[in-house]
Amino acid sequence: MITRRTRPAPRPPEGTPPRAELARQARAALADAVRIARWAAGGSRPGIPPLAATALERASSELELSPAQVRSGWDRARLAGLVELHGDTARPGWRLRAWDRDDSAVLRGWVALFDAWSLVHPAPQDIESTAVAEAVEAVPQVLSLLQLSAGPVTVPALLDLLGQRVAELHEERCEVPYGPQPLPAPAEEAPAAHPEALVALLLDWALEGLAAVGALTLGAGTATLTPLGNWAVWVKLEQICVAAQSPAGNIEQSAADMLLGCARLTPGPARAEYRAWLAARPVGSAVAELLGVARGEDALLRGLAFEALRVVGAPAEPEVRSVVADPSLRPYALLWLAEYDGADPEDAQEVLSREEATWLWVDTAAAVADHGETGLLVRHLDSAVQGSVPALLDAVRAVGHPRTVQVLVALAAAHPDPALAKAVRKAAFQVHTGGA
């Protein structure tokens, strides 16, 4: 047994409104997006995205919004996970279905919009894309200053901070030439990364974008975080602290090693480890690495990888949906998608066919046989969808899982009932030899 010192639950900054009030503010900020999402997903012609020419005109008329407001609300609805596009069809996202009853879903939707502020308010087209990227990467430092100041911050102070951070990022991206180089000219000051006027333009764009999503308010030469913005920045800082204090050091490990390190943890601490590991990586590469592990031979890691993907949530949905056709991942992916769509975890099993449920039973048994205790393998019999051991053995023989023989041999060795163990050994022999 390993004794872990648990980190106390962090408290938000003094003066932060209760979650119910924050959720009310988030609902107000996304009210038009929710209206448009509900219209698109369940209106008179459900499933038609409102940006099609005819649908845009109809949405504008029925919702009494201008075409520009419809376009803006539609973009926000997509970015907040209120709607999902499947080809040319719009469907309600799980957050939209939970919108009126689940404050956590509302706040997560708003944070997703907050993270996408640069898409909600695109940069001026005449600014070089590299400068835009550097500004986006520097904005978290601007937000941190606003959060720590707990009040209005002058634009010159923000401009100074943004200029310094952009210059650092620009310098980090500069390539060092390889091989002998001529000596630099003496007493010549290096040019600035970007002209001050460009940095000022980038700051104005960033502040307007953050204000557009409701993260801050702009005054006469000042900027102030809203309660929602203050809370969101605090959440982001807490995620960084959790990542830096990952109790088992899993943040620096590969996905496979991280999952193995979490295998003995209870669900709560394991999810904290997953969050720490995910917070330290771009979400796209993290999802790809987890799915790469899931495709491997270790059944335990396959199941744990999808547990970690549950923590990822909406950003993982397209990749999870893309692996449904993979026989080894299909049951896990279907369960993940069912829960993502709002199904209760206990009811999600209903989305699996008998064959898929049997395949998953064998895969889970393989994980137990490789990493668990014999008693767990015996108890795993009770989770089979078949009503009797003979029916289960018939289904297991037919499903074609590559670990079937090893699972049956391990189960026969572990089971205390000699007659049942004999039947299981016989089934293992028949699968091994290809007999009936």
Side-chain angles (χ1 to χ4, degrees):
M1 295 290 290
I2 298 174
T3 301
R4 295 190 183 277
R5 185 174 298 173
T6 58
R7 185 172 183 257
R11 299 176 63 86
E14 187 176 352
T16 301
R19 285 178 66 86
E21 171 59 20
L22 290 171
R24 187 196 67 76
Q25 295 177 17
R27 286 186 175 97
L30 283 163
D32 283 351
V34 170
R35 287 182 65 203
I36 292 167
R38 286 176 172 158
W39 182 91
S44 57
R45 290 180 63 189
I48 305 298
L51 293 190
T54 55
L56 175 63
E57 183 179 345
R58 194 171 67 255
S60 178
S61 173
E62 294 180 11
L63 297 174
E64 298 182 348
L65 297 171
S66 69
Q69 288 175 315
V70 173
R71 289 191 188 94
S72 173
W74 174 248
D75 287 341
R76 288 164 177 260
R78 291 185 61 191
L79 292 170
L82 299 172
V83 289
E84 302 168 4
L85 281 184
H86 300 267
D88 293 330
T89 302
R91 297 177 186 170
W94 71 271
R95 284 180 183 142
L96 183 63
R97 290 191 291 271
W99 196 253
D100 293 328
R101 57 180 170 78
D102 189 339
D103 288 348
S104 292
V106 172
L107 290 173
R108 287 174 183 171
W110 184 84
V111 169
L113 184 70
F114 167 69
D115 288 339
W117 66 267
S118 61
L119 301 178
V120 173
H121 184 66
Q125 293 183 355
D126 56 348
I127 300 180
E128 186 183 355
S129 59
T130 301
V132 172
E134 289 169 351
V136 171
E137 194 171 344
V139 159
Q141 278 71 29
V142 173
L143 290 169
S144 295
L145 175 60
L146 286 162
Q147 202 264 346
L148 291 171
S149 299
V153 178
T154 64
V155 169
L158 298 174
L159 182 62
D160 183 56
L161 176 60
L162 182 67
Q164 291 180 32
R165 183 59 184 143
V166 166
E168 292 170 359
L169 293 168
H170 188 78
E171 185 177 348
E172 290 172 5
R173 287 188 170 90
C174 289
E175 295 183 359
V176 178
Y178 181 77
Q181 301 295 320
L183 293 173
E188 193 170 315
E189 189 174 336
H194 296 298
E196 186 174 342
L198 175 58
V199 177
L201 186 60
L202 290 168
L203 178 64
D204 288 344
W205 164 64
L207 294 180
E208 289 168 3
L210 291 164
V213 299
L216 53 79
T217 56
L218 300 176
T222 64
T224 309
L225 285 176
T226 64
L228 269 175
N230 189 63
W231 169 80
V233 175
W234 171 77
V235 168
K236 300 292 181 183
L237 291 173
E238 277 300 311
Q239 289 175 346
I240 294 172
C241 291
V242 168
Q245 300 180 24
S246 174
N250 290 313
I251 182 176
E252 299 176 358
Q253 305 297 324
S254 66
D257 289 340
M258 179 274 293
L259 294 172
L260 281 175
C262 296
R264 295 286 180 180
L265 299 179
T266 54
R271 283 192 293 270
E273 288 292 307
Y274 301 151
R275 291 189 186 98
W277 186 85
L278 291 162
R281 288 161 177 78
V283 66
S285 61
V287 170
E289 191 175 350
L290 288 169
L291 286 174
V293 171
R295 290 187 179 93
E297 297 181 358
D298 194 323
L300 175 67
L301 293 185
R302 189 160 25 256
L304 292 175
F306 276 87
E307 287 300 318
L309 288 168
R310 284 178 172 83
V311 173
V312 178
E317 188 263 344
E319 295 300 320
V320 172
R321 198 172 293 280
S322 72
V323 303
V324 167
D326 186 326
S328 66
L329 302 184
R330 179 176 174 81
Y332 294 97
L334 290 176
L335 290 176
W336 191 99
L337 291 167
E339 292 178 29
Y340 172 76
D341 287 337
D344 188 282
E346 294 183 1
D347 300 330
Q349 294 278 345
E350 296 176 2
V351 304
L352 301 182
S353 66
R354 275 297 182 98
E355 292 76 14
E356 291 159 352
T358 302
W359 198 101
L360 182 61
W361 185 91
V362 178
D363 207 49
T364 306
V368 175
D370 289 342
H371 300 277
E373 301 172 355
T374 57
L376 290 175
L377 191 58
V378 173
R379 290 196 293 274
H380 186 54
L381 272 175
D382 296 334
S383 67
V385 295
Q386 290 77 13
S388 66
V389 171
L392 171 64
L393 294 178
D394 287 342
V396 167
R397 282 197 295 263
V399 80
H401 192 289
R403 295 290 304 280
T404 298
V405 173
Q406 295 94 321
V407 164
L408 293 177
V409 168
L411 181 58
H415 207 284
D417 184 335
L420 190 148
K422 180 179 178 181
V424 173
R425 275 194 301 272
K426 181 180 179 182
F429 177 78
Q430 290 172 339
V431 173
H432 178 63
T433 59

